Amino acid sequence: MQGVRTMGSVSATLNDVFEGDYQSWVWLNGHLGDSGRVATIDNRLYYFNEPDELFYLDGREAVPLLDMHDAESIVSYLQSHNVRYVFAPAWATAAGTAQQPIVKKLPLTHLLGSRRFPLVAMFAVGGYNLPDAIYRVGAFATPSTSPVVSPALFAGVRAGSPLP
């Protein structure tokens, strides 16, 4: 009956069908600004205001990141490409056969949730044991404002609203 309750509302229908994926893109559209970019594996261009501004972690532009292992080099590289956030969609980062191969290959994924890549928002996604997560690039986080969260620690966690 949820489809009937949301009939006539595009945003309510998108939220009902796509849950955290849609909420994540709404959050990113509202926080990127005019020149910011988002690094992601997600290819759902129809959610994003400026699809040409995506930085694909499994694309040609990200190839140099495969050889970068320290946070400062990765932050510097991403910032030089105007990347402000990293979006880790649950469907691509979940353990198992659905996980995108680049998730294990990129040293960046092991730094997500660190003080140089603090978690800034997460949204629940049905069918997965972890939420969609959005990380800030290059920010210094304090324990009181942004917890250190590793993607591996998301197992069994569900969240319905973004962190402050």
Side-chain angles (χ1 to χ4, degrees):
M1 295 300 294
Q2 184 66 23
V4 173
R5 287 191 288 274
T6 62
M7 193 178 303
S9 170
V10 173
S11 63
T13 300
L14 286 170
N15 188 50
D16 180 43
V17 175
F18 298 106
E19 296 175 317
D21 288 344
Y22 174 69
Q23 294 168 356
S24 297
W25 285 114
V26 167
W27 190 95
L28 286 163
N29 280 324
H31 287 83
L32 273 177
D34 292 334
S35 61
R37 296 179 75 192
V38 59
T40 187
I41 300 167
D42 201 344
N43 59 358
R44 293 182 171 123
L45 300 178
Y46 44 86
Y47 288 151
F48 200 53
N49 288 343
E50 299 290 336
D52 293 338
E53 296 302 315
L54 294 173
F55 180 97
Y56 288 105
L57 292 171
D58 56 348
R60 180 177 295 160
E61 209 172 10
V63 169
L65 291 172
L66 289 168
D67 295 324
M68 294 182 195
H69 297 279
D70 65 289
E72 294 309 314
S73 296
I74 295 170
V75 166
S76 178
Y77 183 78
L78 290 174
Q79 287 179 339
S80 73
H81 286 82
N82 219 18
V83 175
R84 292 185 184 165
Y85 298 101
V86 175
F87 172 43
W91 65 266
T93 56
T97 57
Q99 186 179 72
Q100 297 297 306
I102 199 67
V103 171
K104 288 183 181 173
K105 292 180 181 179
L106 271 177
L108 165 65
T109 60
H110 304 290
L111 297 171
L112 297 177
S114 71
R115 67 185 204 101
R116 295 300 279 150
F117 294 93
L119 178 69
V120 293
M122 62 184 180
F123 301 92
V125 178
Y128 296 98
N129 289 330
L130 68 161
D132 282 350
I134 300 170
Y135 303 89
R136 190 176 316 123
V137 174
F140 288 97
T142 60
S144 62
T145 60
S146 183
V148 174
V149 180
S150 167
L153 298 177
F154 278 141
V157 174
R158 291 184 53 100
S161 61
L163 293 174

